[in-house]
Every structure is written in structure tokens, then in C-alpha cells.
Amino acid sequence: MTDASINSLNEQTRAAWNANSQIWDERMGDEGNDFHQTLIRPSTQRLLNLQPGQKILDVGCGNGLTSRWLASLGAQVLGIDFAEEMIINACKRTKPDETSVKFQVLDATDETALLRLGENSFDAAVSTMALMDMAQIDPLMRSLAKLLRPKGCFVFSVCHPCFNHVGASMLAETSDVEGKLVTEYSIKVKSYLEPSSISGLAVENQPQPHIYFHRPLHLLLSSAFHFGFVLDGLEEPAFPTQDPAQTNSFGGWNNYNQIPPVFVARLRSGER
Ligand SMILES: C[S@@+](CC[C@H](N)C(=O)[O-])C[C@H]1O[C@@H](n2cnc3c(N)ncnc32)[C@H](O)[C@@H]1O
């Protein structure tokens, strides 16, 4: 892809997230949805192994729900997002006494802007469900290798690149088994290996579809490996079996307890 087409996709993505910021903020609130609650936060907390006072960069912070959560656990957090409207909502939701969390409009595909945050400035970085929304991830990985202190970690969650992307559909097949209706749920994967950028929805009724940047696992991770990271932690959480407490209406992932809708990984930077 040329630089001009990447820039154009990046600007379309920014416009979509600005347009969707209100509905996103209303749906996510302070605590997020069942993906955050049941899947992402427990895995992120285990992989991050946060120590009080650590400085954390939250990349693609949205309305700041992960930044505020990490600050409540004792971290000093900077949340960045390129959608100005998201950052306005993040600031609105942050109480005056939450002084250990700050927000900044910053494009994570802009290496020069990222490096202005300062080399060796962060103990760790997180990114919750945002890398698959970014037009490019190489500038971020290259920058994080410098922004993180030696042996710092980057914990990210994304829609699972194998099972939860625009090339996969959710199937429910009901059959009569000896007089009893039985429904079996499965995922049909139509494409995987080819990276793609295709419009999709993050929440029902969002005003503007946004672009999903599908990257198969080898491309997602090779970007990090190229800049000296190693993968040293991995979780693939799924919803528990038919848990009636799960209210996720978008996709009904609670029917797929053997299939993880998210991929949560810890990358460790090398010595410098
Ligand atoms: C699915 S939302 C997740 C928000 C938040 N992390 C959460 O879990 O609620 C993805 C976020 O990534 C942000 N994003 C996408 N591309 C970005 C970029 N190049 N730089 C910074 N933020 C970006 C979007 O603006 C959006 O807020």
C-alpha cells in the first residue's frame, strides 16, 4: 500500500471514531461491556502484573475506561487516542481527584509524535481492542521499543485474528436429534491469511461503520518481533458455558465457550 492510501485510510478511521464517540461512550460507560469485564480486564491484569506507581501508556484509550481502571489500581497513566471526541469524553469522565490519569490527542501511527513522549518514559504500555482499528502498527511497535524502559512490557488485546474478524461468520445450526431440538454453534472462517481493511461495526447502531484492519497472527506479531519484542505471555479467554448472566447481544459470543473472541498478548522489550 502507498503512503497516500495508508494516510487516507487513517483519516477515514479517525473520522469514523469521532462520529461514533458518543454512542461508544454511552455503551461503554466507565466499566466497559462484557468483553471488558469478563474477558479483557482479568487477562490484562494477570499479564500486566502492575506494580503501584508504575507509568503506563494506554494506546487507543477511547473514553479512557482502561486508563482510569489502571489508575485506580495504583498506576500513573497517560491515555492517548487520535479521535479528539474520544479524548473530550475521556476528560469529561475523569474526576478532578483522579490526578494520576491524563489524556492526550495523539495518533499512534505518527512515530515523531509518539517519540515526543520521551524515550524510556514508561514501565509498560497497554492497548485494549484498538490495534485492529489502526491503519498501521509498525510505527507504534518501533516507537514502543524506545518509549518503554528496558524489559518493559506491552499488553494488548484485539479481536481474535482467527475467529473474530470480518472474514469469519458465526453459525447456529439447529437439528432434530431423536425428537429434541439441538443447536450447535460454530465459526466459519472464509479468509484469514490475507491482510484486509474492511468496514464493520464495533457496536450495534453506530452512526458510521469504521475500518477493521485484519492482520493474521504472523503479521500482527512479526511487526513486534522485528523491533526486538518477544512474546512472553498469552491468553485466549472465552465466555463461560451458557452463562445466563452474560448479556452480550452483539454476536452472542456466550454460546461459543470453546472459541475465544479475543486474543490478549504480552510483548517484552529487550535490553538496550
Ligand atoms: C474499539 S475502540 C477501543 C477504545 C478503548 N481502548 C476501549 O477498550 O474502550 C478503538 C479506539 O482506537 C482508537 N484508534 C484507532 N486508530 C488510532 C490511532 N492511529 N491512534 C490512536 N488511536 C487510534 C479509536 O479512536 C478508538 O477510540
Side-chain angles (χ1 to χ4, degrees):
M1 233 189 290
T2 63
D3 283 355
S5 54
I6 290 175
N7 288 343
S8 158
L9 287 171
N10 200 41
E11 283 317 310
Q12 287 174 52
T13 307
R14 189 203 303 263
W17 281 108
N18 271 322
N20 295 327
S21 65
Q22 224 35 54
I23 196 163
W24 182 262
D25 184 56
E26 283 160 21
R27 297 281 170 82
M28 296 304 134
D30 283 319
E31 301 301 330
N33 60 10
D34 52 355
F35 270 57
H36 291 96
Q37 290 298 321
T38 308
L39 308 180
I40 298 165
R41 281 192 178 180
S43 291
T44 301
Q45 193 162 1
R46 276 190 292 272
L47 291 172
L48 193 56
N49 190 22
L50 181 73
Q51 306 302 313
Q54 282 190 323
K55 270 192 82 180
I56 312 282
L57 179 67
D58 179 10
V59 182
C61 65
N63 78 352
L65 62 92
T66 298
S67 308
R68 282 189 300 279
W69 169 61
L70 294 176
S72 77
L73 299 177
Q76 301 278 329
V77 188
L78 174 65
I80 58 168
D81 201 290
F82 73 166
E84 300 82 357
E85 298 295 330
M86 286 287 192
I87 293 295
I88 290 171
N89 287 333
C91 294
K92 271 192 205 154
R93 281 191 174 271
T94 304
K95 299 183 186 72
D97 62 345
E98 291 177 297
T99 51
S100 49
V101 58
K102 304 264 180 289
F103 296 102
Q104 190 175 320
V105 176
L106 200 153
D107 183 350
T109 69
D110 180 345
E111 199 174 335
T112 311
L114 282 167
L115 290 179
R116 273 192 220 112
L117 297 176
E119 293 199 14
N120 293 321
S121 288
F122 297 94
D123 297 295
V126 296
S127 181
T128 302
M129 301 301 267
L131 293 189
M132 72 279 170
D133 297 324
M134 290 184 192
Q136 271 186 303
I137 57 169
D138 279 2
L140 175 65
M141 296 296 184
R142 189 164 38 225
S143 305
L144 284 177
K146 296 178 185 158
L147 295 175
L148 292 176
R149 300 192 174 124
K151 297 282 177 194
C153 69
F154 176 38
V155 175
F156 70 85
S157 51
V158 286
C159 289
H160 201 299
C162 303
F163 311 115
N164 186 11
H165 59 97
V166 283
S169 35
M170 305 169 94
L171 302 186
E173 296 165 299
T174 303
S175 48
D176 183 342
V177 182
E178 295 177 13
K180 206 173 158 207
L181 290 181
V182 176
T183 303
E184 285 186 323
Y185 298 91
S186 59
I187 299 291
K188 178 172 150 189
V189 179
K190 290 164 286 188
S191 62
Y192 170 71
L193 279 175
E194 196 65 33
S196 60
S197 45
I198 298 179
S199 286
L201 301 176
V203 289
E204 274 173 300
N205 302 324
Q206 69 186 59
Q208 202 174 311
H210 66 281
I211 302 172
Y212 277 111
F213 297 91
H214 167 69
R215 297 174 182 95
L217 282 173
H218 70 279
L219 290 184
L220 176 67
L221 294 172
S222 64
S223 171
F225 298 156
H226 186 71
F227 298 112
F229 285 95
V230 293
L231 178 70
D232 78 342
L234 180 61
E235 297 204 5
E236 296 179 290
F239 286 107
T241 311
Q242 303 288 322
D243 181 349
Q246 294 303 327
T247 53
N248 172 42
S249 58
F250 193 66
W253 275 101
N254 51 321
N255 291 313
Y256 298 77
N257 51 85
Q258 283 301 306
I259 299 183
V262 297
F263 178 89
V264 192
R266 181 178 60 215
L267 296 164
R268 181 81 58 190
S269 70
E271 301 276 9
R272 285 197 305 280

